[in-house]
Amino acid sequence: MFDAYQLGTHALPNRIVMAPMTRARATPDGLPTPSIATYYAQRATAGLIVSEGVQPSLQGQSNPYTPGLHNDAQVAAWRPVTAAVHTNGGRIFAQLMHGGRVGHPDTVGHHPVAPSAIALEAELFTGAEGLRPAPVPRALSTAEVRDEVRVFADAARRAIDAGFDGIELHGANGYLIQQFLSSSANHRTDAYGGSVTGRIRFAVEVAEATVDAIGADRVGIRLSPGGQYWDITEDDIPQLYGALLGELARLDLAYVHTLVTTDDETLSALRKAWPHTFIVNPGGQIGPRPTDGAVGEHWLTQGADLISYGRAYLTNPNLVERLRLGLPLRPTDRDTWYAGADAGYLDYPSYQH
């Protein structure tokens, strides 16, 4: 895990990635704050940082107090964040996350959109209104699907303008891209639904558009094959994701970043099918989430190139050092994950003997 690695044009000092994690510390209008700059700068010893999910449009916002990349003010507010990471020797990609049906009008004032008008069976946090049942989303027309493709490309350009080293498409965890992949959320009868070819079309077109916008070496994608987040069901997982990776491989994306949400045989086949950098996040596993160095080394022996850690980074900003020296990891405090204040966000010191 502590060997250097060349990710496209980026020389990573180690193979440890900070995984994207929503922290809900942005302003109500989606502006990152000085505290966010400090937070990421503290973790800049990671080989690569992938930011929290960033909405590419107001309609794509899922949660309150999350940052955006869809206007000039947000771009300007991100620049001190990326500069702080770079000043501390780090590299950072912006994760572009469109919530699709995982959104509520009480959050952003826009009705959520999705591949089909199928609501998820869940309650969503809306801020001042608390938890509310997820509404039935509005199904996108064929023309509107193409508009959403352009939304991702525009946000990718803004990310580079804001100083990010690249972007990660959030194709996992039940959000818009995975909703198109899903047989339960996507009942479309046009070119974006039905067959495996139809269900992967949106993801492929988004990848194509972002590659055209900023270059393939600056684009990665996160996947959770078979993951059942936010009421998602997927059929024919090996065929679905095998076809998807086959299409994405011809685009020469920088990486695929996958959670361990399927069986080892399927994951191994996807690794073999992918000719470029393969990042594994063990956090998708059933049961307690492994966070120690042994699990990272295990997945490297299974063919991963990089290992991403999520929750371990919340309370251990110097995670690379702790793993290298075999030091104990500080446990997370769930009450501070989305609290909105600096407490439980910036106040975790380095390990002291």
Side-chain angles (χ1 to χ4, degrees):
M1 287 196 299
F2 310 107
D3 292 344
Y5 183 82
Q6 192 69 32
L7 177 65
T9 60
H10 303 295
L12 312 187
N14 56 69
R15 295 175 183 243
I16 298 171
V17 177
M18 177 179 169
M21 291 173 288
T22 294
R23 302 305 309 272
R25 258 72 176 189
T27 66
D29 51 354
L31 300 178
T33 65
S35 292
I36 292 177
T38 301
Y39 170 74
Y40 284 115
Q42 288 176 342
R43 291 154 177 81
T45 54
L48 175 68
I49 293 172
V50 183
S51 81
E52 61 212 272
V54 180
Q55 55 260 17
S57 65
L58 185 59
Q59 186 165 253
Q61 184 173 355
S62 179
N63 303 299
Y65 305 110
T66 52
L69 267 172
H70 50 85
N71 62 46
D72 292 344
Q74 291 165 350
V75 170
W78 273 115
R79 287 180 182 140
V81 180
T82 57
V85 171
H86 293 149
T87 297
N88 282 272
R91 296 134 299 277
I92 183 168
F93 276 38
Q95 188 192 66
L96 301 184
M97 171 184 150
H98 192 306
R101 69 177 185 172
V102 189
H104 199 284
D106 289 347
T107 299
V108 294
H110 290 268
H111 200 80
V113 295
S116 301
I118 302 171
L120 67 135
E121 297 294 328
E123 291 186 319
L124 303 175
F125 181 67
T126 63
E129 299 299 321
L131 289 170
R132 301 290 301 275
V136 177
R138 182 176 63 79
L140 293 161
S141 69
T142 302
E144 287 175 322
V145 173
R146 299 188 184 109
D147 290 340
E148 295 299 333
V149 170
R150 287 190 287 272
V151 160
F152 279 93
D154 290 343
R157 293 186 188 94
R158 290 184 180 276
I160 299 305
D161 191 22
F164 284 98
D165 299 296
I167 63 100
E168 178 179 278
L169 301 172
H170 198 347
N173 298 72
Y175 297 109
L176 184 65
I177 292 176
Q178 192 177 25
Q179 289 163 29
F180 273 91
L181 298 174
S182 166
S183 52
S184 63
N186 181 352
H187 290 184
R188 301 179 71 92
T189 58
D190 64 0
Y192 293 94
S195 66
V196 164
T197 300
R199 282 184 283 137
I200 69 172
R201 186 181 303 276
F202 180 70
V204 173
E205 290 187 0
V206 169
E208 289 173 335
T210 50
V211 165
D212 288 344
I214 64 173
D217 63 332
R218 290 172 162 175
V219 178
I221 188 168
R222 183 168 164 97
L223 304 171
S224 53
Q228 297 180 342
Y229 306 99
W230 290 123
D231 209 17
I232 284 290
T233 300
E234 293 174 324
D235 294 331
D236 304 321
I237 294 166
Q239 294 85 351
L240 178 69
Y241 282 90
L244 176 60
L245 264 58
E247 288 296 305
L248 297 179
R250 65 179 175 80
L251 301 176
D252 292 330
L253 298 191
Y255 65 78
V256 160
H257 182 184
T258 183
L259 287 95
V260 182
T261 45
T262 187
D263 60 88
D264 287 358
E265 182 179 357
T266 299
L267 197 62
S268 177
L270 296 177
R271 160 68 282 191
K272 292 175 182 176
W274 182 249
H276 309 301
T277 298
F278 197 75
I279 307 175
V280 169
N281 184 309
Q285 294 182 174
I286 302 299
R289 300 195 176 202
T291 59
D292 63 13
V295 73
E297 295 291 357
H298 165 75
W299 284 108
L300 289 176
T301 66
Q302 299 302 305
D305 297 300
L306 304 172
I307 305 298
S308 71
Y309 289 90
R311 296 178 187 181
Y313 257 117
L314 297 179
T315 51
N316 301 279
N318 60 335
L319 181 64
V320 173
E321 178 186 5
R322 286 175 178 265
L323 293 177
R324 190 193 308 272
L325 299 178
L327 301 177
L329 301 184
R330 186 183 289 109
T332 66
D333 178 4
R334 192 183 186 97
D335 290 341
T336 66
W337 288 359
Y338 315 114
D342 287 348
Y345 188 58
L346 303 182
D347 54 354
Y348 295 105
S350 296
Y351 181 84
Q352 299 294 322
H353 292 279

